[in-house]
Amino acid sequence: MSNPPPPEQRSSGGLLSVLGVAFGLAGSVGGTIGAGILRTPGLVAAQLATAPLVLGAWLIGGLYALLGAICIAELAASLPRAGGWYVYAEQAFGRRAGWLVGWTDWLAHCIGLAWVATTVGELLVEWIPKQAAAPWHGQTIALAVLILFSGIQWLGVRAGGASQELLSLVKAVAFLGLAAASFLLPAAAPDVVAGHPTVLQPQGSELWIGAVLALQAVVTTFDGWASPVYFAEEFSEPARDLPRSLIGGVLAVLALYLLINGALLHVLPMQTLSQATLPAADAARRLLGSQGAQLITAVALVSLLGLINTVVMAAPRILFGLSRDRLMPAWLNQVNQGGTPAAALLLTSGSAALLVLVGSFDHLLGMGAFLYVGLPLSGIAAQVQLRRQQPDLPRPFLSWGYPVTPWLVGAGSLAFLVGALISDTADSLLALALVGLGALAGELWQRYGQPASA
């Protein structure tokens, strides 16, 4: 006879402490793997041109993400509170820094959510028969997808967690199936003409520049590994499960990415891979002929739906935490019976829906990318500051290799932030302007918006 399920335990803020390491791994995988892995291998191959260098770039990018996960696992286990990056900034640098990081994080989530929902709408509208497509268009479907996943989250953390685990499992199986089937095909013939390779390996400075560009692309596909920290307060055993979720999630994604790239290198000549805008589709066409494009569309949809579920679930926790700490209005920390911050969910989904209706993402995506790059840097800075400022803070998990590990990750994050500023200066400056507006809004709230008892 099976044991009865444990009673629901509510945290001091009203959230349900019911999540475990299975959800943490699903959140890390679901928040990381999007459609980027279907496209990025071609960009990396174009820069590096040889299989060992391509696989090496993916390995280095994964190890960089792993070092970040090791650092943040210390913070997550020490400060298991809902809200993500802002929790650590507030603890280390004060309320103003906490508000600024939280606002930046939530804004980046809303931009990303709107873009992913719009992409899903554009993919799904292609599957609607032409005679029935008249009343439908991408924006309508994107809004319907937002409503659907917001409804799932409204049911509560158990429903949201179960949907995340299911979508992440389906996503992993889909990619594993594609990779395994690719290895069953004959190996691609080498790219040679009259005994000479048609794709030349870069040399000297060209190689170094290509390596930097390739690593930038690879690291971007690992964004999202920190998703479990947004739910830190809802783990039943956060000191144990958060480090396992963060580190295990990165390792799982790294293994999957290496397998996918190995499969693509096996089935596609380097010249084809380096010139492909969607190399996974080329591999699928070798597997299924003309039906391969539909297979890749299906895989992309599964990936994006899992990402939407993660963001719709995580972003309201940022508002919840900010509100509970009196950095935003009190009504945003209201939690329904299912354990969902209901008002924060409505505000998040409504903001993303407005961005969907705006419909132009060129600048929004550039701004969102810049904001996302800066968030891990804030976490690394918080870890170093708290080690100095609060040496007696209970730390159930200690980062391996401290202080070398955070300094390596911090240097990498700073380099990527500078690179984003140089490569897309206009959008990066617009993003900084939004951060500045957030700082102004936070200052006004601190002075005039809080109740007298605060």
Side-chain angles (χ1 to χ4, degrees):
M1 183 176 179
S2 60
N3 294 325
E8 292 182 346
Q9 297 180 356
R10 287 192 178 266
S11 71
S12 59
L15 299 173
L16 296 179
S17 301
V18 297
L19 300 177
V21 71
F23 169 81
L25 291 171
S28 184
V29 172
T32 303
I33 301 177
I37 186 57
L38 301 175
R39 184 182 302 274
T40 306
L43 302 176
V44 176
Q47 298 297 332
L48 300 178
T50 64
L53 290 178
V54 167
L55 292 175
W58 285 95
L59 180 60
I60 292 172
L63 291 177
Y64 171 76
L66 179 62
L67 292 179
I70 290 169
C71 292
I72 302 308
E74 177 180 306
L75 292 174
S78 300
L79 302 167
R81 292 164 48 202
W85 299 106
Y86 106 86
V87 173
Y88 317 133
E90 193 271 342
Q91 185 80 7
F93 303 111
R95 293 174 63 81
R96 287 181 174 84
W99 155 256
L100 197 60
V101 170
W103 156 255
T104 300
D105 196 4
W106 181 76
L107 183 65
H109 271 73
C110 288
I111 292 172
L113 178 58
W115 178 79
V116 175
T118 298
T119 303
V120 169
E122 292 171 349
L123 290 174
L124 284 175
V125 80
E126 296 296 324
W127 282 5
I128 299 176
K130 291 185 178 180
Q131 60 271 23
W136 295 92
H137 52 80
Q139 282 185 329
T140 303
I141 297 175
L143 294 174
V145 168
L146 285 175
I147 292 171
L148 171 64
F149 282 95
S150 298
I152 294 172
Q153 298 306 324
W154 187 274
L155 295 176
V157 65
R158 291 188 185 276
S163 62
Q164 188 62 54
E165 291 174 18
L166 176 61
L167 287 168
S168 295
L169 176 63
V170 173
K171 181 187 300 191
V173 170
F175 278 108
L176 285 171
L178 177 62
S182 297
F183 278 116
L184 295 177
L185 292 174
D191 293 305
V192 292
V193 176
H196 297 283
T198 59
V199 180
L200 299 178
Q201 180 178 340
Q203 303 288 334
S205 61
E206 183 183 358
L207 174 60
W208 285 107
I209 294 172
V212 170
L213 294 174
L215 283 174
Q216 284 181 327
V218 168
V219 169
T220 300
T221 65
F222 281 93
D223 283 345
W225 54 263
S227 295
V229 304
Y230 295 94
F231 314 99
E233 198 168 316
E234 294 161 275
F235 281 84
S236 57
E237 297 186 58
R240 182 196 68 180
D241 290 344
L242 280 167
R244 292 182 180 182
S245 299
L246 290 164
I247 296 170
V250 171
L251 289 174
V253 171
L254 173 57
L256 189 59
Y257 282 179
L258 289 174
L259 185 62
I260 292 169
N261 278 274
L264 293 175
L265 289 165
H266 171 78
V267 77
L268 297 177
M270 182 60 70
Q271 185 175 24
T272 302
L273 179 59
S274 63
Q275 294 176 354
T277 56
L278 198 63
D282 293 334
R285 273 190 287 270
R286 286 203 62 190
L287 285 168
L288 298 175
S290 60
Q291 301 298 315
Q294 293 186 3
L295 172 64
I296 292 304
T297 300
V299 172
L301 279 171
V302 171
S303 299
L304 294 172
L305 291 175
L307 191 55
I308 288 175
N309 193 71
T310 303
V311 177
V312 172
M313 195 174 182
R317 269 73 180 173
I318 304 171
L319 298 180
F320 168 86
L322 289 168
S323 173
R324 186 177 56 181
D325 287 346
R326 296 178 177 176
L327 294 170
M328 292 193 80
W331 53 270
L332 285 171
N333 66 37
Q334 297 174 7
V335 178
N336 67 16
Q337 285 298 112
T340 294
L345 172 64
L346 293 177
L347 181 57
T348 297
S349 299
S351 300
L354 286 176
L355 291 175
V356 167
L357 293 174
V358 168
S360 176
F361 288 96
D362 291 342
H363 293 295
L364 283 175
L365 277 177
M367 289 187 286
F370 182 81
L371 297 176
Y372 269 123
V373 168
L375 292 170
L377 184 59
S378 73
I380 295 300
Q383 183 195 18
V384 174
Q385 175 69 1
L386 287 173
R387 281 282 189 120
R388 297 171 177 170
Q389 186 185 72
Q390 300 182 35
D392 296 328
L393 179 71
R395 291 177 171 85
F397 177 88
L398 289 173
S399 293
W400 310 330
Y402 188 92
V404 175
T405 305
W407 283 109
L408 284 175
V409 178
S413 297
L414 183 60
F416 287 122
L417 194 67
V418 172
L421 181 62
I422 294 173
S423 63
D424 193 354
T425 304
D427 289 334
S428 297
L429 292 177
L430 285 172
L432 288 173
L434 284 177
V435 172
L437 287 175
L440 178 60
E443 191 65 29
L444 292 174
W445 170 256
Q446 287 294 303
R447 292 189 179 187
Y448 307 112
Q450 295 192 73
S453 61

